[in-house]
């Protein structure tokens, strides 16, 4: 029978594609961090600071200050209150791992 | 109390069925809220609406707690004679808000 | 109906074929083949759809993604109120799809006219068909031209809604320019829910700004089918200081609900009176885009109930609905929300295709409104799925403070602009 054989052939091709795709998937932004990129651009060139490549500790400290109302804010004080330490940590870790942002001042 | 709105035709044919609309802006208290001290805030809703056509009651309604805050009422009546339509809303505090409209029947 | 039974027969034949293929695939290499063959179709290249298509490619490059959008150029609604007020050229609202294409998304410049959910197939206006494994519907809104007596497509050419940006936006702009000083502008706002809850009030503000600076003897009446609205206290306080006596807001309880339109005389009829306008902007009731109704994913409200974790339709399996068309619980119908939902939905579809359980994710919305070019206010919220709905997290969110220095209003106006630039770059850039 030729049919199963040809299917096996195709599936080998697919395996290669899938393996190549793995590193891309690992680098994909976690869903929880996706919310941030509505305002925080990957390029650090606007009035809203970029987060990519920023040290995790810096993000965690800033979020804690926003949440406690200890840092002047327009909306971040209102948004930070919706996130737990754990969630903030995960987001901060991911951004920190993204290397250097383009146009970091 | 507050502001009342009515919409009636200024003129109608004798025997014509006319539509009447009435609405009142009323700050409602459901009776289910508590104040800062935890005491129940007494209920204050519009509990009665009445419409008189030259002193004869042609429409009335009793309202209960499921009523909306600013009740809107639309009903029909038959234009009989030229005269005055009087509307009255009564709330739980006993305040009565009145409004009138004149109608000419030809 | 003969055509339907024909369809069903076709569908079941395909189903048999599919399961035969699946059997063979399982023998060969179970998870990989299924994954590599995945095809997701996204209908609608707006804030929700274009975001979702790109994000799907980024989440899993092996998924084939087709974005269906008839227009070669997207015209964005956010900031279109500034166009109406003459503060911004319409060109600043235009975005192309090159960036989406470069991200590996196939673009079909088509309109979807029908969806066969059982066969998992979409039908295009030109007769072509395309199979999907999962379908994302992001068609935005349609105006309900059947809801307000007298307000149809023809009336909209005289009394524009300008609630879909483009020709309607420019029409309203031209009418305001042509109006004599001392004219009366009448706006009407619908009952909830509708696209962009603070939008009518931002529009009233910016038109008032135009009138104050260019036609100071004019007046603006805002007829409302509601007694309360988004950021109300902030808007009302700003109107008092910036545009005293210029804006008259008539709430529902003040007789503000418009029940009929007479386009010939430019009259808006309410339950208790009528208003003759020199320029009228009717923002009518809305519903999910027609394709959502055709797909059977909209309920009797005209909007689409969804699972708050995956955005999968509660009515039809394998179809996800995002953006304005969806019933997203406490989340408003905004571009910010559409973009946030699209990202989560894409990630969820990628994990569903991989056979993983989707995780819970929080979403954010921030809506800025301009009351004047240098006066911005905002409302923000954080949302999570709770009891089958997207629910606002109580501790978070809220509006800008009622008392704030001018510098803060100015900062929020700047952030509003920055937000628009960032989001449109993420979606279309
Ligand atoms: C005046 C105004 C001001 C606003 N301001 C803001 C703001 O400041 N901030 C904010 O966050 N939001 C704002 N919004 C709201 C925002 O525009 C919408 O919430 C947002 O566009 C919703 O995105 P969407 O993808 O669901 O729909 P859309 O962006 O409308 O995209 C839908 C797309 O689907 C396509 N489509 C429809 N049917 C089909 C079909 N059958 N086949 C193929 N394609 C189809 C359409 O062509 C369109 O491109 C504003 C809206 C208005 C009207």
């Amino acid at each position: 029978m030729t049919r199963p054989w040809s299917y096996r052939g195709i599936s080998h091709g697919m395996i290669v594609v899938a393996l190549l795709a793995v590193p891309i998937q690992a680098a994909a932004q976690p869903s929880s961090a996706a919310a941030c990129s509505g305002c925080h651009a990957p390029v650090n060139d606007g009035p809203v600071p970029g987060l990519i490549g920023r040290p995790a500790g810096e993000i965690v400290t800033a979020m804690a200050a926003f949440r406690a109302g200890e840092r002047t804010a327009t909306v971040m004080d209102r948004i930070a209150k919706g996130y737990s330490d754990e969630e903030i940590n995960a987001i901060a870790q991911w951004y920190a791992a993204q290397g250097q942002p383009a146009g970091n001042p | 109390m507050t502001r009342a709105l009515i919409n009636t035709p200024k003129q109608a044919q004798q025997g014509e069925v006319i539509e009447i609309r009435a609405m009142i802006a009323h700050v409602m208290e459901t009776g289910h809220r508590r104040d800062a001290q935890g005491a129940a805030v007494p209920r204050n809703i519009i509990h009665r609406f009445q419409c008189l056509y030259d002193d004869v009651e042609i429409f009335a309604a009793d309202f209960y707690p499921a009523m909306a805050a600013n009740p809107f009422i639309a009903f029909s009546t038959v234009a009989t004679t030229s005269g005055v339509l009087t509307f009255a809303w009564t709330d739980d505090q006993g305040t009565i808000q009145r409004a009138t409209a004149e109608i000419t029947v030809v | 109906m003969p055509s339907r039974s024909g369809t069903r027969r076709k569908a079941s034949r395909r189903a048999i074929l599919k399961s035969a293929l699946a059997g063979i695939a399982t023998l060969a290499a179970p998870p990989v083949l299924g994954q590599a063959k995945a095809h997701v179709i996204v209908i609608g290249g707006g804030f929700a759809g274009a975001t979702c298509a790109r994000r799907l490619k980024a989440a899993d490059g092996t998924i084939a993604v087709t974005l269906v959008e008839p227009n070669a150029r997207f015209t964005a609604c956010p900031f279109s109120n500034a166009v109406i007020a003459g503060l911004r050229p319409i060109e600043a609202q235009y975005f192309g799809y090159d960036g989406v294409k470069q991200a590996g998304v196939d673009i079909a410049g088509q309109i979807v006219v029908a969806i066969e959910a059982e066969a998992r197939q979409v039908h295009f206006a030109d007769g072509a068909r395309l199979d999907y494994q999962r379908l994302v519907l992001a068609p935005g809104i349609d105006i309900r031209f059947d809801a307000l007596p007298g307000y149809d497509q023809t009336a909209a050419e005289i009394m524009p809604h300008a609630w879909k940006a483009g020709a309607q936006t420019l029409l309203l702009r031209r009418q305001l320019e042509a109006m004599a000083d001392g004219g009366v502008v009448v706006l009407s706002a619908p009952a909830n829910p509708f696209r962009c809850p603070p939008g009518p009030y931002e529009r009233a503000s910016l038109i008032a700004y135009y009138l104050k600076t260019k036609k100071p003897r004019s007046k603006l009446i805002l007829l409302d089918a509601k007694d309360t609205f988004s950021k109300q206290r902030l808007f009302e306080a700003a109107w008092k200081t910036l545009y005293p006596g210029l804006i008259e807001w008539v709430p529902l309880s003040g007789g503000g609900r418009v029940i009929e339109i007479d386009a010939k005389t430019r009259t808006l009829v309410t339950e208790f009176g009528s208003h003759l306008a020199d320029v009228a902007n009717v923002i009518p009731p809305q519903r999910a885009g027609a394709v959502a109704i055709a797909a059977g994913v909209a309920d009797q409200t005209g909007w689409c109930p969804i699972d708050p974790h995956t955005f999968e339709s509660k009515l039809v399996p394998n179809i996800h609905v995002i953006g304005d068309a969806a019933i997203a619980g406490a989340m408003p119908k905004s571009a910010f929300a559409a973009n946030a939902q699209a990202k989560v939905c894409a990630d969820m579809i990628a994990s569903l295709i991989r056979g993983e359980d989707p995780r819970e994710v929080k979403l954010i919305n921030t809506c800025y409104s301009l009351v004047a070019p240098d006066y911005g206010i905002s409302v923000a919220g954080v949302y999570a799925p709770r009891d089958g709905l997207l629910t606002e997290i109580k501790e978070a969110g809220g509006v800008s403070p009622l008392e704030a220095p001018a510098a803060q209003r100015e900062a929020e106006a700047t952030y509003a602009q920055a937000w628009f630039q960032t989001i449109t770059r993420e979606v279309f850039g």
Side-chain angles (χ1 to χ4, degrees):
Chain A
M1 270 225 296
T2 52
R3 249 180 126 204
W5 188 89
S6 71
Y7 264 91
R8 211 168 291 142
I10 290 170
S11 63
H12 280 301
M14 299 304 177
I15 289 171
V16 175
V17 173
L19 287 180
L20 285 176
V22 169
I24 301 169
Q25 279 177 38
Q29 194 187 32
S31 304
S32 50
C36 315
S37 62
C39 289
H40 294 272
V43 211
N44 202 0
D45 63 353
V48 180
L51 297 175
I52 293 209
R54 203 170 277 275
E58 213 179 286
I59 298 178
V60 169
T61 311
M63 286 293 275
F66 280 133
R67 209 168 48 184
E70 287 159 1
R71 191 175 152 159
T72 10
T74 53
V75 291
M76 277 316 296
D77 50 345
R78 295 176 252 159
I79 290 167
K81 293 193 181 85
Y83 288 84
S84 67
D85 290 343
E86 212 183 341
E87 287 164 332
I88 290 171
N89 241 320
I91 294 169
Q93 295 295 341
W94 182 82
Y95 271 115
Q98 297 313 302
Q100 280 302 303
N104 198 15
Chain B
M1 199 183 322
T2 37
R3 176 188 44 195
L5 289 167
I6 44 177
N7 187 358
T8 60
K10 288 195 174 47
Q11 204 176 41
Q13 304 279 332
Q14 189 168 32
E16 187 185 335
V17 176
I18 55 170
E19 193 191 48
I20 293 171
R21 296 189 192 133
M23 178 160 62
I24 186 162
H26 182 259
V27 183
M28 175 171 76
E29 268 307 335
T30 58
H32 302 307
R33 290 198 319 143
R34 291 187 177 273
D35 64 17
Q37 279 72 47
V41 181
R43 194 188 89 168
N44 185 20
I45 64 171
I46 301 277
H47 69 255
R48 183 154 178 87
F49 169 79
Q50 196 189 23
C51 175
L52 308 180
Y53 192 160
D54 279 345
D55 301 329
V56 179
E57 182 179 284
I58 55 160
F59 183 92
D62 291 318
F63 297 134
Y64 296 92
M67 194 62 204
N70 305 306
F72 170 80
I73 302 148
F75 59 94
S76 314
T77 190
V78 177
T80 49
T81 56
S82 294
V84 180
L85 290 155
T86 309
F87 303 84
W89 292 261
T90 311
D91 73 10
D92 288 338
Q93 291 178 350
T95 318
I96 300 175
Q97 169 89 8
R98 282 183 223 280
T100 56
E102 278 178 39
I103 182 166
T104 310
V105 174
V106 291
Chain C
M1 270 198 288
S3 66
R4 280 204 72 182
S5 63
T7 303
R8 204 168 298 142
R9 226 178 296 128
K10 232 190 297 158
S12 57
R13 218 184 300 131
R14 192 171 302 109
I16 293 164
L17 235 160
K18 263 199 184 146
S19 54
L21 287 182
I24 295 162
T26 311
L27 287 175
V32 181
L33 185 61
Q35 181 182 330
K37 281 180 76 76
H39 181 218
V40 177
I41 301 178
V42 181
I43 300 177
F47 282 99
T51 303
C52 189
R54 285 184 87 148
R55 177 91 179 183
L56 269 164
K57 272 318 255 193
D60 187 341
T62 66
I63 299 175
V65 182
T66 305
L67 176 65
V68 190
E69 167 62 55
N71 303 310
R73 185 177 72 187
F74 178 72
T75 308
C77 283
F79 278 89
S80 66
N81 287 333
V83 176
I84 290 166
L87 298 164
R88 191 182 170 86
I90 186 87
E91 289 74 23
Q93 304 301 109
Y94 294 154
F95 298 92
Y97 291 98
D98 288 347
V100 182
K101 240 178 265 176
Q102 273 157 27
V105 173
D106 290 324
I107 303 211
Q110 295 256 18
I111 292 187
V112 171
V113 290
I115 290 159
E116 249 185 88
E118 265 177 64
R120 296 202 201 174
Q121 194 175 60
V122 305
H123 297 206
F124 295 124
D126 71 355
R129 292 161 181 225
L130 203 56
D131 291 323
Y132 64 81
Q133 183 161 347
R134 285 193 178 262
L135 176 67
V136 179
L137 285 184
I141 57 147
D142 266 339
I143 302 295
R144 286 189 52 187
F145 281 114
D146 59 343
L148 191 55
Y151 197 70
D152 55 13
Q153 309 250 15
T154 323
E157 294 304 314
I158 301 164
M159 303 163 85
H161 54 77
W163 220 240
K164 286 188 173 194
Q168 281 273 310
T169 312
L170 292 173
L171 177 61
L172 184 53
R173 170 74 200 139
R174 281 198 304 274
Q175 291 188 350
L176 286 168
E177 277 178 309
M179 188 184 83
D181 188 8
V184 178
V185 180
V186 184
L187 260 77
S188 78
N192 294 323
F194 62 99
R195 157 176 283 183
C196 194
Y201 313 95
E202 179 189 66
R203 177 169 292 174
S205 308
L206 292 183
I207 291 179
Y209 177 82
Y210 170 70
L211 297 177
K212 183 185 164 180
T213 47
K214 298 280 160 56
K215 288 163 186 173
R217 293 190 299 117
S218 312
K219 207 176 142 50
L220 187 148
I221 299 170
L222 175 47
L223 302 172
D224 208 328
K226 301 177 292 304
D227 272 328
T228 55
F229 60 86
S230 176
K231 298 179 245 188
Q232 180 168 358
R233 275 154 50 90
L234 286 162
F235 272 115
E236 288 186 322
W239 291 345
K240 224 183 216 167
T241 43
L242 298 177
Y243 315 116
L246 209 159
I247 300 178
E248 184 193 344
W249 176 62
V250 186
L252 170 70
S253 59
R257 195 169 87 93
V258 173
I259 53 168
E260 203 183 322
I261 296 292
D262 183 4
K264 261 193 239 99
T265 56
R266 266 208 185 91
T267 302
L268 297 95
V269 181
T270 66
E271 275 149 342
F272 295 96
S274 61
H275 298 263
L276 200 72
D278 291 304
V279 172
N281 171 209
V282 178
I283 305 169
Q286 300 145 35
R287 57 167 167 73
V291 70
I293 318 277
V297 293
D299 67 14
Q300 74 284 355
T301 64
W303 306 100
C304 310
I306 45 128
D307 175 289
H309 291 93
T310 59
F311 293 89
E312 187 163 356
S313 165
K314 283 186 174 164
L315 304 177
V316 184
N318 302 309
I319 301 184
H320 301 250
V321 187
I322 51 175
D324 284 358
I327 299 175
M331 278 191 106
K333 299 188 188 302
S334 74
F336 195 114
N339 169 264
Q341 293 165 7
K343 288 186 260 191
V344 172
C345 176
D347 290 356
M348 293 299 176
I349 289 178
S351 30
L352 288 170
I353 287 174
R354 284 197 293 268
E356 299 165 4
D357 280 338
R359 287 156 300 126
E360 183 189 302
V361 176
K362 281 183 180 163
L363 294 105
I364 299 177
N365 177 64
T366 305
C367 278
Y368 290 101
S369 299
L370 293 180
V371 188
D374 59 352
Y375 192 121
I377 53 176
S378 63
V379 57
V382 182
Y383 306 85
R386 296 274 181 276
D387 307 321
L389 281 175
L390 276 169
T391 308
E392 185 160 10
I393 295 181
K394 262 203 238 92
E395 298 72 30
V399 298
S400 309
L402 198 53
E403 301 293 336
Q408 178 153 358
R409 306 295 190 214
E410 213 176 314
E412 291 222 89
T414 309
Y415 286 147
Q417 304 253 14
W419 163 76
F420 185 72
Q421 208 195 350
T422 300
I423 200 166
T424 51
R425 249 200 253 165
E426 186 184 56
V427 180
F428 301 103

